[in-house]
Amino acid sequence: MSVYGQNHFTWNGTLRDLHGSYTGFCTGRGRPSMTATLSSSSGLEVLLSTLQNVGDVESTLNILSVLDELLSADRRIGMKAEEAGAVLLTLNLLKHNGQHARRTAACLWVIQVFCSSVSTANLIGENHGLDVIYRLIPQYTTKHLHAIKAAINAFSALLCTKANVCSAVSKEYISGFLWLYEDWHSKDNQDVAIAIRHALLCCLLKATDSTAGRQAFLSQGGIRLLYQTAQTCLLSKNLECLVEPSVQLMRKCLPRIPLPVTSDQSAYSFLLPGTPAFTDVSETPDESSDESDAEEAEDNHEANNRDYDDDLETDLNKLRLPPDPDRPKELLTQYSCFCPELSHDFQELDLSSETGDSSTASSSSDDEVVLLNKDRTKTTASRDSSTSDGSYSEMEISSRDMPAAAHLEACDFHSHSSILGTSPGFRTMVRGAMGEASPCQREDEQDNEEDGTEEFYHHTIIDRLLERHGAGIPHHDPKLYCAVASKTKSIPDFSILAFPDFWGHLPPPGHQPMAPRKPNIQRQKVFEDIQRFLKTDDIINHVVFDLEDSNLQCHSDSLRFFSKFESGNLRKAVQVRRYEYDLILNPDVNSSQHTQWFYFEVSNMAADVPYRFNVINCEKSNSQFNYGMQPVLYSVKEALEGRPHWISTGTEICYFRNNFCPAQGRRRTTFYTLTFTITFKHSEDVCYLAYHYPYTYSALMAHLKILQKSVDPAKVFFKQQTLCSTLAGNSCPIVTITACPVSRRWKDLHQMRNRPYIVLTSRVHPGESNASWVMKGTLEFLCSNDLVAQSLREAFVFKIIPMLNPDGVINGTNRCDLNSKDLNRQWSKPDPLLSPTIYHTKGFLYYLNIIGRTPVVFCDYHGHSRKKNVFLYGCSIKETLWQSGSAVDTVGLKEDPGYRTIPKTLDRIAPTFSFNSCNFLVEKSRSATARVVVWREMGVLRSYTLENTYNGCNQGIYKGLQTGTQEHQEMGMKFCHSLLSVTKDTRILYSRKLINHIDLDHNMLDHKSHNCFEDDEPPCAEEIEYSGGCPTLKGSDLDSDIDSNMAHVDDDDKEHSAQKHQQDSISQSQQSSIKNHLFPPQTAIR
């Protein structure tokens, strides 16, 4: 190794000799700027040897600066430095150069860079590096701030290892840093040391990555200290940069609180076929749940940054060759009954006088049809038979105690405080409205019929409501809804209807804009949550609703909650403060996960008072609630006054990670809070709050019956059948819609029976209620007299399964069926017992395939909680291979580009649709979804998932607006319009009349879409997580610090420069004096 004496050292000479290892040049200020990293350790060895022998300050600083530049560009530099002996040498230099601030700072920066290697950081820690550096951090001073900041940053860098963190905790350095922060904060009146205070906070963030660190921080009063200092910082704009790390540190160190529930398992359980009696499978506390948050953050970071291309399917055989069918062909003949259009003889077409008869076969149902004006005793008889197998014995639209003659007000509809429980007379009337009666009542009914009167039916609560207020909702009939709901089977045996489902919904007039996000609203809410920990005087913590405790007593002035109705989800409500409530959602049945959907009733409110609601056990790591989405609210008072609207509502909305944990300690489970504030318009109202516009199974079944009656059976072939029964015994409907033949002539029948098929499905995920509203729009459009609808019926046979997961929808789950499985991951090999709806839907598609009627389009309607707009996912071999960077030569691959036809058409005609948000890649993780399986196994080119936003649009005519039910239904209609693009009948496609009807106004639909491979949203304005790194202070990066240090010349530097060749003559006492001047003796910190 070459050795350079101090008399022979020059920058250019050193660089010339190191030319074999790196190239460099000098900046105007004398600091080297490197353009390449060291290719070996030889250059590093030369620099280190030179550093060890050089004696003048400027030369030392220059070499250290070159090291900083080189080291920071190489991630493995820590290991290389170990091999070259640089680590302990640098630490030794630091120990012996404390008398010179700039040299000390340079050594500290090198150590900071070395710590990119865990083993190097451990090596420094084992050699007392923490102690050496900690002693360099003094109490408040205005001198040598660069060196002090470098010491804090180096100490923070050393805390990247568990061993060093444990050492820092055991030596009480955390309490020391808290003391230092308080000292610097209280004395820095001129705000000249903001960077020092920020560095101290970042160091504490690193030190609290471990449980021991957080406990030490908590026990030393760290949260109270930071809360007080943060409040002071909020008063000065200059100190804004200190608030965020303070908030992050407090969030991180708040003690983890188990959810106040008896079990992590859902409150609802269901005995699956072929399984023993249900036992609680909730997990036992995990001893490893206290692992480092840094490790958790690292795992999350790796998961989030995993290359998306790795998930793409690159096996050409899997992309091109369909697997063997999952069942023998002999089993598929059972599905022939679901193609009645192929065998129906349409004899009724010859009976022109009877074409209007609603009982004709072209508009029939295998299920019992509940006619709106038929004799009610028939409904009663059918309902009596249904109660024997577990369906409703009675359905109640409940109200509070009131005189029988009094008019019905909104406050009369408290589901949990029912007049039916106190008034037998009213019970009788409601039962009559539901079509159900006791044996003695049936005798009275018969007597009434014999007398020729029906007064019994016209004095019910329901009848009086409708007579007085008259809902008048298109395609909705409250009485029919009650009749259908009485047959719906649920796990808890729901006996109460939610008023919005019974009464119906009309879209509000006009559009609702996305909610603007108030600046720093999350910070404000976090401060309020921290006050719970610090100040308990106003904390109530009283449970006001518990799904598992029906005898719970509420305070007279608290809100009242209820969720035990179809599609309802609220497990528990806790009154935290007078006007603040924590809400806990119920996991999916037989599960402890998948909490997102909520739908509940709230009452006993005061008007014009802001109530804060916190949904505290959300699971997704981000939400559109951070980007303008609002929950929806339905007011009974408003509905009875003629405004039956679900409206987007709520202010101060944000979504962020909280400090709650599972009741039984599931490993590494984190929860998020959705918080929003609602100011109710009316006192003593009854309101309903939901994640999104609810759409129940009973609403679907009633809607199908109304549609069936609305069509002209001589023109529209509408047939509803039961595909199968669900696990709970509910029917899964399949609907056939097409045009009746013009006549019974062979030519017309042949044309009708050779129409291509289109299969549409929806609501496989129960929480995606927006998918049902889109499907509602599709169904209503296909049954309408619209010219395009008529053409589509004449061109295609539509097979529609509008709800693939009825049980999940009924019981208020978010993702899964009663088997606790995501049904959209069961398509590869569905279990006929545990996933019957998927098994039989796939079987029906197989059947169409083997009889030569493979659908030209398959589309599964979904909702998307993380993106705006509406878009399609499809399947393409070439696009998948291109995106994955596969070595497969795609030049010879032939692929029909027709899979893009429908999305391209939608991009032109549907204002909520975004083509560039579409994705045509086949992912391994999606291999068992409907889209991929139908494409791969049935050979359906146009196999899609239609994703609909819960929030709104950021392009087109709806830009900045939330999508409501009207926009969802419009999307269902527009999807039908797009199907004209795949018809083989060019006369239909190019009919000027049809094109004008569709309306391709380019000005109205002028919008640009997003690239689907980019994040749909920019980073949230505030940090959702709290386990990440410290927020960066502007101008505080390592390069800036080094530049500043090189440019700065203090008095000591001038003295050293003047006496450059006489440094060795400085006495030990002088060195000690300089050191004491630079770093005053530090008082022991306890």
Side-chain angles (χ1 to χ4, degrees), residues 786-811:
D786 186 275
L787 180 61
V788 176
Q790 293 177 32
S791 301
L792 289 171
R793 291 194 299 264
E794 293 168 2
F796 302 106
V797 176
F798 289 87
K799 298 291 181 180
I800 301 175
I801 305 172
M803 195 169 283
L804 284 169
N805 194 346
D807 291 343
V809 172
I810 292 166
N811 292 286

Side-chain angles (χ1 to χ4, degrees), residues 727-744:
L727 287 171
N730 295 292
S731 65
C732 177
I734 179 172
V735 178
T736 302
I737 301 176
T738 191
C740 292
V742 178
S743 70
R744 293 186 64 208

Side-chain angles (χ1 to χ4, degrees), residues 187-198:
K187 296 176 182 177
D188 185 23
N189 299 321
Q190 302 300 316
D191 297 338
V192 296
I194 293 176
I196 301 295
R197 292 151 70 180
H198 185 272

Side-chain angles (χ1 to χ4, degrees), residues 653-923:
I653 302 171
C654 53
Y655 185 97
F656 55 91
R657 183 174 169 183
N658 60 37
N659 62 313
F660 286 96
C661 62
Q664 295 171 314
R666 277 183 289 131
R667 186 171 182 258
R668 293 192 181 183
T669 299
T670 56
F671 289 125
Y672 297 79
T673 290
L674 163 63
T675 182
F676 54 91
T677 299
I678 292 181
T679 304
F680 296 99
K681 186 176 180 180
H682 305 286
S683 294
E684 297 299 323
D685 195 359
V686 177
C687 294
Y688 292 80
L689 286 167
Y691 180 87
H692 199 62
Y693 307 96
Y695 192 96
T696 64
Y697 170 77
S698 296
L700 168 68
M701 301 303 285
H703 186 229
L704 292 178
K705 294 179 186 300
I706 292 174
L707 285 179
Q708 181 175 296
K709 289 182 65 64
S710 71
V711 299
D712 182 350
K715 296 180 180 179
V716 180
F717 184 89
F718 182 106
K719 189 170 182 66
Q720 176 188 340
Q721 300 169 278
T722 298
L723 176 67
C724 63
S725 291
T726 65
L727 287 171
N730 295 292
S731 65
C732 177
I734 179 172
V735 178
T736 302
I737 301 176
T738 191
C740 292
V742 178
S743 70
R744 293 186 64 208
R745 291 180 300 176
W746 180 87
K747 180 180 179 181
D748 294 327
L749 289 174
H750 178 75
Q751 188 277 336
M752 184 259 193
R753 290 169 180 166
N754 282 276
R755 293 171 187 164
Y757 281 70
I758 291 176
V759 178
L760 306 177
T761 61
S762 182
R763 206 68 184 277
V764 71
H765 296 143
E768 295 170 5
S769 59
N770 46 357
S772 282
W773 287 101
V774 177
M775 180 58 77
K776 186 176 189 285
T778 293
L779 286 166
E780 289 181 3
F781 179 75
L782 291 176
C783 293
S784 71
N785 294 324
D786 186 275
L787 180 61
V788 176
Q790 293 177 32
S791 301
L792 289 171
R793 291 194 299 264
E794 293 168 2
F796 302 106
V797 176
F798 289 87
K799 298 291 181 180
I800 301 175
I801 305 172
M803 195 169 283
L804 284 169
N805 194 346
D807 291 343
V809 172
I810 292 166
N811 292 286
T813 67
N814 179 63
R815 187 79 177 177
C816 301
D817 194 10
L818 303 187
N819 60 9
S820 72
K821 302 294 184 182
D822 180 347
L823 291 184
N824 202 36
R825 297 296 186 273
Q826 309 302 312
W827 279 79
S828 291
K829 293 183 179 179
D831 189 301
L833 291 179
L834 298 180
S835 306
T837 60
I838 305 303
Y839 178 83
H840 291 294
T841 301
K842 186 179 181 182
F844 175 63
L845 288 164
Y846 267 139
Y847 174 75
L848 292 179
N849 186 256
I850 66 167
I851 66 171
R853 302 300 179 89
T854 300
V856 293
V857 176
F858 170 84
C859 190
D860 188 22
Y861 292 8
H862 282 253
H864 205 292
S865 67
R866 300 286 290 274
K867 290 189 175 184
K868 293 185 174 72
N869 310 316
V870 180
F871 47 95
L872 283 169
Y873 290 147
C875 301
S876 165
I877 297 176
K878 282 193 172 183
E879 292 196 35
T880 302
L881 294 175
W882 289 337
Q883 178 66 24
S884 67
S886 171
V888 176
D889 184 9
T890 59
V891 176
L893 286 177
K894 293 183 178 180
E895 184 175 50
D896 186 342
Y899 63 87
R900 283 177 166 251
T901 305
I902 289 177
K904 280 286 189 182
T905 305
L906 284 171
D907 199 47
R908 294 178 63 82
I909 67 174
T912 60
F913 192 84
S914 168
F915 177 79
N916 284 344
S917 292
C918 295
N919 184 326
F920 303 100
L921 306 179
V922 181
E923 305 99 330

Side-chain angles (χ1 to χ4, degrees), residues 162 211 214-215 256 283-292 295 664-668:
K162 286 184 180 180
T211 302
R214 291 191 295 275
Q215 290 175 344
R256 301 199 76 185
E283 300 177 33
T284 55
D286 190 340
E287 293 180 358
S288 62
S289 61
D290 285 338
E291 289 186 12
S292 165
E295 213 170 89
Q664 295 171 314
R666 277 183 289 131
R667 186 171 182 258
R668 293 192 181 183

Side-chain angles (χ1 to χ4, degrees), residues 295-331:
E295 213 170 89
E296 175 187 336
E298 184 179 343
D299 292 344
N300 292 338
H301 180 76
E302 289 178 1
N304 293 334
N305 289 279
R306 189 178 297 121
D307 193 350
Y308 175 73
D309 296 347
D310 292 343
D311 190 38
L312 298 179
E313 183 58 75
T314 56
D315 188 330
L316 195 57
N317 289 329
K318 290 184 178 180
L319 289 171
R320 297 185 65 182
L321 303 177
D324 294 332
D326 62 7
R327 68 199 81 183
K329 289 185 178 180
E330 295 75 23
L331 293 179

Side-chain angles (χ1 to χ4, degrees), residues 611-625:
Y611 289 89
R612 179 184 172 184
F613 298 93
N614 310 308
V615 182
I616 61 173
N617 64 328
C618 300
E619 292 182 345
K620 293 196 173 184
S621 59
N622 200 354
S623 170
Q624 280 292 313
F625 283 114

